[in-house]
Amino acid sequence: MIPLGGLEQIGMNITAFEYEDSIVVVDCGLSFPEDEMLGIDLVIPDITYLKENIDKVKGFVITHGHEDHIGALPYVLKEINVPVYATKLTMGLIDNKLKEHVLPKPVKRKVVKYGQSINLGCFRIEFIRTNHSISDAAALAIYSPAGIVVHTGDFKVDYTPVNGETIDLQRFAELGKKGVLALMCDSTNVMKPGYTMSERTVGKTFDNIFADNEKHRIIVATFASNVDRVQQIINSAEKYGRKVVIEGRSMVNVITTATELGYLDVPKNIIIEMEQMKNYPPEKLVLITTGSQGEAMAALSRMAANLHRKVSIEPGDTVIFSSRPIPGNEKNVSKVINELAQKGAKVIVQDTHVSGHASQEEIKLIYSLTRPKYAIPVHGEYQHLKAHAELAQGMGIPKENTIVLSSGDVLELTQERATLIGKVQAQGIMVDGLGVGDVGNIVLRDRQHLSENGLIIIVLTLEKYTNQLLAGPDIVSRGFVYVRESEYLMDEAKSIVYAALERCLDNKVSDWSKIKTEIKDSLSDYLWKKMKRNPMILPIIMEVE
């Protein structure tokens, strides 16, 4: 088994399982860029290994419809056109994604029901019902000639789910009796003791908030993909006689798909268009919007910053954040909360969210039911995987059988032993606009250098055969100093460039690259001594006959 992403970070989950001439890939997600990835939109997994072994790849099997599990499919399927297998709602969301991208040829897609198995090469894969913060999540039992591997996907144990049935614990126990070779279990909440609360508890909180704020407009920000959460907001809105407005592109997409497929039960005429809001008093409205993570372009952030064309925050509005900040987004969320508070809105963040991931006791439950020989923690940063390995050891799995992998590791599993036998390429590929993978570390380093130190361009014109200076040197500065206020500095810089050029010509240097290097070095030294700054310097030489 080869994780090509999803370890070391939350997101970009993708794992390849290989036996002789068959490869089956579980999930294909994206992750969002880190702060130092300037201008990058998203990061997708590096699938070089799959491209090199394209004849073996039998298909993608998807556990559920979150971006970090399906987001990279449109990019990857352009290069590896193999069938995709998923449950009904997950497939609906994948179809939506594929419509936005033009694929060279159509992709075969098959909807799988719980309990159903599919045969892919020498693997048989069974879908098992689980609970998560999106409906139709599945765990996978991967049957191979070497043994059964159970992959939980993202899950929690919810005995009172809002939609659908409770997790199929019986099936996990039956697999445990057959003998499970390895368990790959979700580690996102492994640091949290106890149990994760049921999704239903949020519905009660919503009812209380709606009752307490009868005279105010209510705005709820949540993840677009959390269909059950949206269902509960709609339930509370119906109970308290409010109309619902949906805002945010991803929110509209998911809700439309979920309603068409029967995963959302929306009473007739409760949802109204944004334009109709003016026909109702504020206390009869609920807005469901994206932006719970403080993303700059999402609907809520635009409302908070007065940039939204149709909605402005009024004093007295009640804004509910129905999500927890993803690690790294805390600053953005807090900024949006402050902006909302300044506009006189009441912001509610307590008890309005429960996680979709299992806490320690639920993870222990899965271990005690499946009783695996090997424990391979997945979905989490290193600290989560490490904590998960310790939890597995506490459940009686020998230390040498708990394996913390990194993305790209190749793990060979047999009944007798688990050994790391190599590494494949598994760095994320950056997507910037329409360019996939054309921005690498060197371009990023340049962007960082420019963003921190600015740029100086030096333009000279030389005569073709004699290399005599005909015009210049002219100096253009961007993001380094404001030229009008630093004329003295610019004059000094000019004379330094001039002196460097003279030195080259006196020494009969006619190679342009050497002249450029000499100019660069001497100007760089001067600026560092004078200002302790280190801008990017670009000499441009033109030649005239």
Side-chain angles (χ1 to χ4, degrees):
M1 43 169 297
I2 309 162
L4 295 171
L7 306 175
E8 294 107 42
Q9 88 244 58
I10 309 269
M12 204 166 86
N13 299 296
I14 173 169
T15 312
F17 293 86
E18 181 173 354
Y19 190 94
E20 287 171 1
D21 62 346
S22 308
I23 292 180
V24 170
V25 188
V26 171
D27 289 336
C28 184
L30 53 77
S31 70
F32 294 103
E34 289 162 24
D35 290 346
E36 60 271 14
M37 297 182 180
L38 302 168
I40 300 299
D41 301 327
L42 33 113
V43 186
I44 59 172
D46 185 333
I47 47 157
T48 312
Y49 182 77
L50 299 179
K51 283 196 285 196
E52 288 166 356
N53 295 283
I54 190 131
D55 309 340
K56 295 184 181 182
V57 182
K58 302 293 184 235
F60 284 95
V61 187
I62 309 295
T63 57
H64 67 281
H66 278 158
E67 284 295 313
D68 56 339
H69 295 259
I70 64 170
L73 273 173
Y75 299 96
V76 170
L77 291 171
K78 281 176 188 165
E79 305 190 54
I80 299 179
N81 193 321
V82 294
V84 178
Y85 301 87
T87 51
K88 189 165 144 191
L89 179 62
T90 312
M91 194 57 91
L93 295 171
I94 292 173
D95 287 347
N96 259 357
K97 284 202 119 20
L98 296 182
K99 271 182 209 141
E100 290 178 13
H101 290 253
V102 183
L103 292 183
K105 54 181 212 265
V107 173
K108 186 177 157 218
R109 306 194 277 279
K110 186 167 185 327
V111 173
V112 187
K113 292 191 174 76
Y114 291 125
Q116 202 179 339
S117 289
I118 45 176
N119 292 313
L120 295 175
C122 40
F123 290 100
R124 178 162 72 84
I125 292 158
E126 177 191 344
F127 281 66
I128 305 165
R129 181 192 305 280
T130 58
N131 305 122
H132 185 40
S133 57
I134 185 169
S135 301
D136 262 16
L140 304 172
I142 301 164
Y143 298 82
S144 75
I148 303 172
V149 174
V150 174
H151 191 302
T152 63
D154 284 2
F155 83 105
K156 71 181 200 180
V157 177
D158 194 338
Y159 298 114
T160 54
V162 172
N163 184 336
E165 294 168 36
T166 172
I167 178 171
D168 190 350
L169 292 171
Q170 184 185 352
R171 189 66 198 135
F172 284 101
E174 286 163 3
L175 289 165
K177 284 211 169 93
K178 282 185 182 166
V180 170
L181 179 63
L183 174 65
M184 301 175 73
C185 182
D186 178 11
S187 316
T188 312
N189 269 357
V190 73
M191 320 280 247
K192 296 215 162 122
Y195 297 87
T196 302
M197 301 284 279
S198 167
E199 181 60 49
R200 280 247 166 143
T201 56
V202 179
K204 290 200 185 77
T205 308
F206 280 141
D207 276 352
N208 297 339
I209 294 174
F210 275 61
D212 293 346
N213 293 280
E214 281 180 335
K215 301 196 169 43
H216 307 292
R217 180 171 65 169
I218 294 179
I219 299 172
V220 190
T222 187
F223 291 117
S225 56
N226 198 335
V227 176
D228 294 348
R229 189 71 45 85
V230 173
Q231 179 71 65
Q232 299 195 87
I233 301 166
I234 291 174
N235 295 350
S236 295
E238 185 190 22
K239 197 164 165 186
Y240 289 90
R242 289 177 182 248
K243 295 287 183 196
V244 177
V245 180
I246 312 288
E247 173 53 4
R249 198 176 66 103
S250 50
M251 188 68 86
V252 173
N253 282 350
V254 174
I255 290 180
T256 313
T257 306
T259 313
E260 282 166 7
L261 296 175
Y263 289 88
L264 256 184
D265 174 23
V266 181
K268 259 207 173 73
N269 302 334
I270 193 167
I271 292 186
I272 60 169
E273 291 298 318
M274 191 138 249
E275 286 69 34
Q276 298 168 279
M277 275 173 58
K278 55 183 181 300
N279 307 340
Y280 295 89
E283 65 271 14
K284 288 290 169 210
L285 294 172
V286 181
L287 264 83
I288 305 179
T289 164
T290 52
S292 60
Q293 294 299 313
E295 312 94 320
M297 292 314 295
L300 185 67
S301 310
R302 297 207 312 271
M303 291 174 201
N306 269 348
L307 298 172
H308 198 285
R309 289 205 303 275
K310 296 174 183 161
V311 184
S312 51
I313 300 289
E314 305 294 335
D317 282 348
T318 300
V319 182
I320 304 170
F321 276 79
S322 185
S323 71
R324 196 177 57 233
I326 295 170
N329 289 355
E330 297 87 354
K331 220 156 110 194
N332 298 350
V333 173
S334 141
K335 177 170 169 254
V336 173
I337 291 178
N338 284 325
E339 285 175 340
L340 291 166
Q342 276 170 351
K343 297 205 168 41
K346 171 177 167 191
V347 181
I348 300 179
V349 287
Q350 267 80 33
D351 304 331
T352 52
H353 176 65
V354 296
S355 175
H357 298 272
S359 298
Q360 286 175 2
E361 297 305 313
E362 293 149 271
I363 295 175
K364 288 179 188 168
L365 175 63
I366 296 294
Y367 273 97
S368 59
L369 291 174
T370 52
R371 302 200 296 267
K373 180 162 185 177
Y374 300 106
I376 304 165
V378 290
H379 303 179
E381 298 166 4
Y382 188 77
Q383 52 172 343
H384 300 119
L385 305 179
K386 193 92 187 71
H388 190 143
E390 283 160 16
L391 179 141
Q393 287 156 27
M395 292 299 293
I397 289 174
K399 189 168 181 190
E400 62 275 11
N401 286 8
T402 50
I403 303 139
V404 175
L405 295 176
S406 308
S407 298
D409 285 347
V410 182
L411 179 71
E412 186 177 66
L413 275 182
T414 64
Q415 289 293 344
E416 290 71 50
R417 65 178 183 278
T419 26
L420 281 176
I421 56 166
K423 225 173 161 41
V424 303
Q425 198 171 314
Q427 291 295 308
I429 289 180
M430 291 174 262
V431 179
D432 183 358
L434 294 175
V436 178
D438 55 354
V439 175
N441 290 340
I442 294 169
V443 175
L444 271 191
R445 204 174 61 216
D446 282 353
R447 283 182 185 183
Q448 233 154 347
H449 189 113
L450 284 167
S451 73
E452 287 163 10
N453 305 305
L455 165 73
I456 286 184
I457 301 172
I458 299 151
V459 187
L460 313 166
T461 308
L462 299 179
E463 196 177 43
K464 187 163 185 184
Y465 300 107
T466 62
N467 269 2
Q468 280 316 66
L469 182 66
L470 294 181
D474 289 323
I475 296 186
V476 182
S477 144
R478 284 285 178 274
F480 173 63
V481 288
Y482 184 52
V483 176
R484 284 199 187 133
E485 289 171 8
S486 312
E487 281 162 0
Y488 170 71
L489 182 79
M490 286 301 160
D491 291 343
E492 287 265 278
K494 270 184 196 171
S495 50
I496 293 229
V497 172
Y498 192 73
L501 187 64
E502 291 285 281
R503 277 201 301 281
C504 291
L505 300 183
D506 291 349
N507 296 334
K508 304 278 187 289
V509 176
S510 57
D511 178 6
W512 279 13
S513 59
K514 282 191 183 133
I515 297 176
K516 283 183 179 176
T517 309
E518 178 65 34
I519 290 174
K520 238 193 210 159
D521 292 348
S522 46
L523 186 55
S524 179
D525 282 352
Y526 165 72
L527 292 173
W528 179 253
K529 283 194 188 105
K530 184 96 181 141
M531 307 186 69
K532 290 284 179 280
R533 286 196 206 163
N534 190 1
M536 187 181 274
I537 298 173
L538 285 184
I540 297 172
I541 300 180
M542 290 184 288
E543 166 180 85
V544 176
E545 280 194 31

